Amino acid sequence: MLYVPDGVPPLIKSALARVERTLPQPGEIQVRQGGRVEPDDVIARGVVVSAPHIINLARALNLPPAQATRAVVAPIGQPINAGAVLARRGGLFGRRVLSPVNGTLRAVDPATGYAFIVPEPRQITLTAGIRGIVMEIIDNRRIVIETPAAQLYGAGGFGSDCNGVTRLLTLDPSEPITEQMIDAQSMFAIIIGGSGISAAALRKAVEHQVRGIVIGSIAERELRAFFQWAKRVPWPIGVRNWQWLGNIAAPLTIVLTEGIGNAPMAAPLFELLANNDRREVFIESNTSLRQPHRRPRVIIPLSRSSAASLEPPRPPLRIGALVRLLDHDHLGQTGVVRSLPALPQRLPSGVRTAAAEVLLNSGEAIWLPRSCVEVIA
């Protein structure tokens, strides 16, 4: 689904994880460099200043701009509450314009009839999200935390970063999460499944205040039903504007290890999550298909005594390597590299490219472009 040329495998059993927690703008840092933090510790406080709301009073009141400006009843430079009358037109065809937010009316332009309302700054509190040691504090805005951890990289994610305790709901990487599996025991948990989840199960997860979901894949129709998208989303591969809609507002965090469709979770990834059931984890959900590339990451902190490497391993593509397959027909499957010819090979599609011969668990050998295999070990 997502080829990442930096060579970092999708599964890291033990390495030092660096987590960067960031305020939208410089704020008040609550920790010191070298200090130890726990997931719920407050590490910074700040404010979020939203973009101003621009309201076309002339159109809303059906008046020329100059007259619309004179119809403003709220004092300029003073706070105004959401729903308060901003401007009013009297007479037979009386109309009112209400403020959409709590904020301050900064200006009204008599030449255009536009009003500018700046929303009230919103106070935010940033928690560590993970236990570890504060290694860097940058510009009173970014805090870098390090911890020895097992790490799992997915193909795509929705929602914001979150943390919680994992709860394994399926016993097989090809088994989907059903609505019946989610109950009160899933509250505030990161639930783990296999091949997918339905829109009804996602809605029930929101009702039970589930914080996150890690699954192999999800069908597009279930995504559209859950997010109530009226139009088809731009998933088709090859379209120039293909994008990942990771910046949408989601009531919970979703991580897909394989991608869109009905693929099972790759067995080594599922095994790592199953072996760490009931453990505190942190999820970085940000996904970017453009530079800088970003994949969602599930971080499982290890004990302080763990012999974690300083850098994640970057195993080369070689004969005998265990690889995860990234082409659409084999998502969720793994295999072993059987041969790596130096010269380009002609694939069944007729294309000649650098390729690898992979032996599947079923015993079948297939040829794939090297960009369609990802080394696990």
Side-chain angles (χ1 to χ4, degrees):
M1 172 71 184
L2 183 59
Y3 174 61
V4 179
D6 59 10
V8 176
L11 185 153
I12 300 171
K13 293 186 177 180
S14 180
L16 201 61
R18 291 173 59 88
V19 177
E20 187 174 291
R21 304 290 281 153
T22 306
L23 290 169
Q25 56 190 35
E28 182 183 352
I29 305 300
Q30 305 287 311
V31 293
R32 59 179 177 82
Q33 188 171 339
R36 181 168 295 277
V37 293
E38 294 297 325
D40 294 330
D41 288 350
V42 175
I43 60 175
R45 300 181 190 276
V47 295
V48 176
V49 179
S50 303
H53 285 254
I54 303 175
I55 303 170
N56 190 338
L57 297 179
R59 183 172 61 185
L61 297 174
N62 195 22
L63 290 172
Q67 293 185 34
T69 302
R70 291 194 293 270
V72 173
V73 296
I76 295 176
Q78 297 297 317
I80 183 172
N81 295 325
V85 177
L86 176 63
R88 179 186 292 113
R89 173 186 175 180
L92 182 62
F93 302 100
R95 296 185 181 185
R96 296 189 306 169
V97 179
L98 307 181
S99 173
V101 293
N102 292 332
T104 302
L105 177 61
R106 288 298 183 193
V108 179
D109 185 359
T112 62
Y114 283 95
F116 300 86
I117 298 179
V118 177
E120 288 182 351
R122 179 167 54 90
Q123 301 289 329
I124 61 170
T125 300
L126 188 66
T127 59
I130 193 169
R131 71 167 184 266
I133 296 176
V134 177
M135 300 303 295
E136 291 182 77
I137 298 173
I138 305 169
D139 299 331
N140 285 335
R141 183 182 174 211
R142 292 184 290 162
I143 300 99
V144 178
I145 302 170
E146 289 187 356
T147 186
Q151 300 164 64
L152 179 154
Y153 285 91
F158 300 91
S160 57
D161 296 351
C162 71
N163 69 297
V165 176
T166 59
R167 184 180 183 221
L168 186 67
L169 295 188
T170 67
L171 300 178
D172 190 280
S174 61
E175 183 182 0
I177 295 177
T178 63
E179 192 175 355
Q180 293 72 27
M181 295 178 181
I182 302 172
D183 53 27
Q185 296 183 41
S186 300
M187 185 174 292
F188 306 128
I190 307 291
I191 60 176
I192 310 298
S195 62
I197 189 171
S198 66
L202 285 171
R203 286 190 286 267
K204 189 172 182 182
V206 173
E207 293 174 4
H208 283 80
Q209 302 181 60
V210 170
R211 291 184 176 177
I213 299 173
V214 183
I215 49 177
S217 59
I218 187 170
E220 181 190 337
R221 65 178 180 277
E222 303 298 340
L223 268 181
R224 287 192 285 116
F226 176 64
F227 287 115
Q228 299 180 350
W229 290 328
K231 299 179 180 179
R232 289 184 66 86
V233 290
W235 302 127
I237 297 174
V239 178
R240 290 188 63 184
N241 67 342
W242 199 92
Q243 58 185 305
W244 189 269
L245 302 182
N247 58 351
I248 63 170
L252 78 173
T253 302
I254 305 171
V255 172
L256 310 176
T257 64
E258 314 304 322
I260 304 298
N262 296 293
M265 186 182 297
L269 277 63
F270 185 83
E271 182 180 351
L272 175 69
L273 293 171
N275 290 340
N276 287 280
D277 188 26
R278 307 291 177 174
R279 292 282 299 275
E280 181 85 26
V281 302
F282 178 74
I283 294 178
E284 291 179 330
S285 62
N286 188 22
T287 303
S288 174
L289 301 183
R290 299 177 176 87
Q291 292 287 357
H293 293 133
R294 288 289 301 270
R295 289 191 289 182
R297 180 169 58 149
V298 180
I299 304 172
I300 308 168
L302 303 175
S303 63
R304 301 181 195 175
S305 59
S306 301
S309 60
L310 294 179
E311 294 292 334
R314 286 176 168 80
L317 184 62
R318 67 191 188 283
I319 295 175
L322 176 65
V323 294
R324 180 171 69 159
L325 310 185
L326 305 181
D327 66 304
H328 182 267
D329 294 334
H330 300 94
L331 282 180
Q333 297 188 43
T334 59
V336 176
V337 176
R338 190 160 80 170
S339 64
L340 282 171
L343 297 176
Q345 300 295 303
R346 188 176 296 278
L347 301 179
S349 62
V351 174
R352 291 180 64 86
T353 186
E357 186 183 18
V358 179
L359 184 64
L360 303 180
N361 296 332
S362 62
E364 177 188 2
I366 61 173
W367 286 92
L368 291 172
R370 294 192 186 186
S371 62
C372 287
V373 296
E374 187 175 45
V375 180
I376 293 180

